[in-house]
Amino acid sequence: KRKQEQEVRRKEAIEASNELTQSLVDTLNVGVAQAYLNQKRLDAEAKQLHLGATNFAKQTHQWLQLIDQFSTALKDPGDVVNWARSIEGDMHTINQTLELAYKASRATQTSSGAGTSLEASTSASASANPSAT
């Protein structure tokens, strides 16, 4: 009878040990499964983040190219305006020089008394070209 009791206790102990082991394994498996799912989510989010960063870099590069083209486009009219201002300044200088030369020649002709025909031709050319004044 004692052997049977020991055998029953041994079976109960083995069964309790198996249940404890199974419970510990189940608890551990839940943690491992949760860690696996978390890692899977992190991998998916990392891929999306990398894709988003790549797209952002491409978009930023396109914006920089567009800004550079816009800046170049703004410089071209500015260069033309500066050129036109330079030409305008030169034309004013030429105009002032011609006016001074005309006045000096007129003063010389008036003081000498001879040269009315030259004065008439100069005033005729001045009236024919009103932008020169």
Side-chain angles (χ1 to χ4, degrees), residues 41-57:
R41 267 191 241 130
L42 284 173
D43 288 343
E45 288 180 22
K47 283 181 184 179
Q48 278 201 308
L49 180 62
H50 179 64
L51 182 64
T54 302
N55 288 340
F56 181 71

Side-chain angles (χ1 to χ4, degrees), residues 9-45:
R9 285 184 184 166
R10 187 179 69 78
K11 285 182 182 181
E12 287 175 355
I14 290 174
E15 193 176 313
S17 172
N18 285 340
E19 286 177 13
L20 176 64
T21 303
Q22 189 61 42
S23 176
L24 291 173
V25 167
D26 287 345
T27 303
L28 184 61
N29 281 343
V30 167
V32 169
Q34 187 64 41
Y36 176 76
L37 290 176
N38 288 344
Q39 183 62 41
K40 205 172 173 183
R41 267 191 241 130
L42 284 173
D43 288 343
E45 288 180 22

Side-chain angles (χ1 to χ4, degrees), residues 1 7 19 24 29 41 43 51 53 65 71-72 76 79 83 96-97 106 109 113-114 116 120 127 133:
K1 189 173 176 176
E7 189 63 32
E19 286 177 13
L24 291 173
N29 281 343
R41 267 191 241 130
D43 288 343
L51 182 64
Q65 284 179 331
S71 178
T72 301
D76 290 343
D79 290 344
W83 174 80
Q96 290 172 351
T97 304
R106 199 167 148 200
Q109 288 174 1
T116 54
S127 64
T133 55

Side-chain angles (χ1 to χ4, degrees), residues 4 6 13 15 19 22 35 44 55 75 89-90 101 112-113 120-121 124 126 128 132:
Q4 285 179 342
Q6 282 182 345
E15 193 176 313
E19 286 177 13
Q22 189 61 42
N55 288 340
K75 285 180 186 177
D90 291 346
S112 68
S121 68

Side-chain angles (χ1 to χ4, degrees), residues 72-117:
T72 301
L74 285 178
K75 285 180 186 177
D76 290 343
D79 290 344
V80 171
V81 168
N82 286 337
W83 174 80
R85 285 183 184 152
S86 175
I87 294 296
E88 184 180 15
D90 291 346
M91 294 305 288
H92 282 296
T93 303
I94 291 169
N95 185 35
Q96 290 172 351
T97 304
L98 288 174
E99 281 182 19
L100 288 174
Y102 172 72
K103 288 177 184 176
S105 72
R106 199 167 148 200
T108 304
Q109 288 174 1
T110 304
S111 66
S112 68
T116 54
S117 64

